[in-house]
Amino acid sequence: MNVNELNNLLDNIKNPTIGKAILTTYHKLNNSNYNKVLCSISGGSDSDIVLDMIYKCDNNKIVDYVYFDTGLEYLATKEHINLLEEKYNINIEIIRPKIPIPLSCKKFGQPFLSKHVSEMIDRLQRHNFKWEDKSFDELLQEYPKCKSALEWWCNAKPSPAHNINRNKLLKEFMILNPPNFKISQLCCKYAKKDLAHDKLKQGYDLDVTGIRKSEGGVRATAYKSCFDNNFGTYDRFRPIFWFTDNDKLEYRKLFNVSNSKCYNLYGLQRTGCCGCPFGRNFEYELEILHKFEPKLYNAVINIFKESYNYTRMYNEFKG
């Protein structure tokens, strides 16, 4: 897409958020000093828009596309990745985990509620925490090498989003019902996060992801804008950071962007690791898996059994 084509395209776009995102993406890929760009493709609805936008603006073909197959992916997502390759005539490299999720969960622990919550609980478990309701100062004397997790437990972090109270009655629940299984978010680290870091070390100077601010949560609130240049050897760009759900819908209609069967047939609102306990609607996801992909259903039931049960207890407790 040359400059004239870009201007014509922007003239026909009434939504300023979409227009600015396309213009910014075009500038990053054509008028900056980037030579090698990595774009992560997940097969989800945000990722579909990012891919379409990046492809339109990548005049010099400096973008490589990668899909991290965690081992617990919907078959519909894998089919969609193949369709994307055909539609855009691109190669999407598939990278598989260092440690398979079943082994990671057995070795390190199962995910529970969210990555941040799981990380904090993991740190406390490693220090044999007694899940007691004492002041931060008292607990710090007892567990001097666990400050960050204790701040979370005692609601002492500056940001409310990083405190245990962000999850209603979680502290009260855990005091009465201490976890009797290991909890951790390391399955994500070894199935995707570390793989992405390793890939970026291969000479990439820009990393493109599909994070949106309106998603909320720790991941989204960690960023203040669509761009950061403080990741060492590469910068990070989030083309649809400012998109709302309505912006996404409008973009899809404008450019005929279709989603995978996970959305169109299964009725899911998110994709990623099948049945992940981090998902707020994991019970619904399990129903979908049981109906459409029963083999994966049996797998996740075995892998995340304790986390599912603990989450159900918590949900009943908080009402």
Side-chain angles (χ1 to χ4, degrees), residues 10-283:
L10 295 176
D11 286 342
N12 292 316
I13 295 176
K14 307 302 180 184
N15 185 313
T17 302
I18 295 175
K20 185 174 181 179
I22 293 174
L23 183 61
T24 303
T25 300
Y26 190 90
H27 173 75
K28 294 294 182 190
L29 297 184
N30 298 289
N31 301 324
S32 299
N33 295 319
Y34 299 116
N35 298 304
K36 194 174 182 183
V37 179
L38 185 67
C39 181
S40 297
I41 304 300
S42 69
S45 60
D46 289 353
S47 174
D48 288 337
I49 293 175
V50 170
L51 171 55
D52 187 79
M53 193 180 300
I54 291 293
Y55 180 79
K56 282 179 168 58
C57 298
D58 183 21
N59 289 347
N60 299 312
K61 305 303 177 186
I62 62 173
V63 180
D64 291 336
Y65 302 96
V66 63
Y67 168 63
F68 298 101
D69 183 350
T70 64
L72 285 181
E73 303 289 329
Y74 293 96
L75 294 178
T77 298
K78 293 182 178 182
E79 292 174 2
H80 188 60
I81 294 296
N82 292 332
L83 292 173
L84 291 174
E85 285 188 307
E86 295 176 8
K87 177 180 178 179
Y88 295 101
N89 191 27
I90 59 173
N91 175 64
I92 301 176
E93 180 184 0
I94 298 175
I95 300 181
R96 292 179 172 82
K98 287 182 176 180
I99 302 178
I101 288 178
L103 179 59
S104 178
C105 287
K106 184 176 181 180
K107 184 176 182 179
F108 303 110
Q110 298 173 37
F112 169 66
L113 281 189
S114 73
K115 291 180 183 178
H116 183 66
V117 168
S118 297
E119 172 66 17
M120 294 300 102
I121 293 175
D122 181 20
R123 293 185 187 185
L124 293 172
Q125 286 184 320
R126 279 184 271 144
H127 288 84
N128 297 313
F129 188 64
K130 299 183 180 67
W131 314 104
E132 48 195 341
D133 189 17
K134 294 182 179 179
S135 71
F136 172 73
D137 291 335
E138 289 177 300
L139 291 174
L140 189 59
Q141 286 187 349
E142 192 173 351
Y143 310 95
K145 296 183 179 181
C146 197
K147 181 179 178 180
S148 180
L150 291 176
E151 287 177 333
W152 170 77
W153 177 257
C154 296
N155 296 294
K157 289 186 177 293
S159 170
H162 292 79
N163 287 321
I164 192 171
N165 272 0
R166 187 176 190 277
N167 294 278
K168 179 183 176 183
L169 298 178
L170 178 58
K171 183 174 182 177
E172 293 80 356
F173 168 75
M174 296 190 71
I175 290 172
L176 294 174
N177 305 277
N180 58 5
F181 66 102
K182 290 190 293 185
I183 293 174
S184 173
Q185 55 88 37
L186 290 178
C187 57
C188 183
K189 170 181 168 65
Y190 293 114
K192 187 173 182 179
K193 191 174 181 180
D194 280 3
L195 304 180
H197 289 163
D198 291 345
K199 184 65 179 177
L200 284 163
K201 291 177 183 177
Q202 298 176 15
Y204 291 96
D205 45 21
L206 184 66
D207 178 33
V208 177
T209 64
I211 295 174
R212 292 189 299 127
K213 185 175 179 63
S214 63
E215 287 178 292
V218 172
R219 188 173 81 138
T221 56
Y223 306 110
K224 302 301 181 184
S225 74
C226 66
F227 180 76
D228 289 302
N229 60 357
N230 58 349
F231 288 89
T233 59
Y234 61 92
D235 297 337
R236 181 162 286 168
F237 177 46
R238 299 170 283 273
I240 62 171
F241 185 68
W242 301 110
F243 273 40
T244 63
D245 289 345
N246 286 335
D247 294 327
K248 282 178 56 180
L249 181 60
E250 187 171 344
Y251 187 100
R252 286 180 55 205
K253 290 180 179 178
L254 277 170
F255 298 108
N256 192 30
V257 174
S258 58
N259 297 145
S260 78
K261 288 192 294 187
C262 286
Y263 300 90
N264 304 327
L265 177 62
Y266 296 5
L268 293 170
Q269 298 298 313
R270 60 169 292 280
T271 57
C273 293
C274 299
C276 178
F278 288 154
R280 295 180 181 178
N281 299 315
F282 77 84
E283 297 282 17

